[in-house]
Amino acid sequence: MSQEPPPDSPPAGAPDDDAPVPTPVPTPGEIHEELEAAAAEAAEPDERRYPSTIGGAFYLLVLAVGGVGIAVVWGGDWRLGIRCLAAGLCFAALLRLVLPGRDAGMLAVRNRFLDAVVLGGLGAALFFLAQTIPNQPG
């Protein structure tokens, strides 16, 4: 007893229209050309390495203040260090409100109001916590 294919199926050995079409494989010459183009593009020197906006410079200042705060915490005075971090965040929030979007640099993540609220809220929360956590005995 032999099984016959359904009447609407293509005959055996015929190409299947629903089969995926294989993607062309690049030749070694094409690969070499692409690699050379990528290497040439990567070899071009960057024009500048300094912050291109005043916001970029202020961003570096905020990072430095945060680093000082972490160093002070590590040194033992955690309240002063957290206040330093909070001051840096509040300063960043103020800068984000004052600087226009094109000059804000890396201080600009979303829209101006949301950036300022998030930065100011975190700074205020850190100030609050540094003031209200009681000293632990010992």
Side-chain angles (χ1 to χ4, degrees), residues 20-126:
V21 177
T23 57
V25 177
T27 64
E30 292 173 337
I31 293 172
H32 182 69
E33 288 174 6
E34 285 186 32
L35 288 174
E36 282 182 348
E41 185 177 306
E44 293 176 5
D46 292 337
E47 291 185 18
R48 56 185 164 194
R49 288 283 196 198
Y50 53 87
S52 61
T53 62
I54 189 72
F58 279 128
Y59 178 76
L60 293 175
L61 177 66
V62 169
L63 283 179
V65 169
V68 167
I70 290 173
V72 170
V73 168
W74 195 356
D77 190 0
W78 70 271
R79 286 185 196 272
L80 181 60
I82 295 298
R83 287 183 195 126
C84 186
L85 281 170
L89 288 170
C90 290
F91 181 63
L94 177 69
L95 288 172
R96 183 63 181 110
L97 281 176
V98 172
L99 292 174
R102 63 181 164 73
D103 291 335
M106 291 194 53
L107 292 173
V109 177
R110 293 171 186 83
N111 68 39
R112 181 183 297 198
F113 180 73
L114 183 61
D115 286 343
V117 166
V118 169
L119 290 167
L122 286 172
L126 286 175

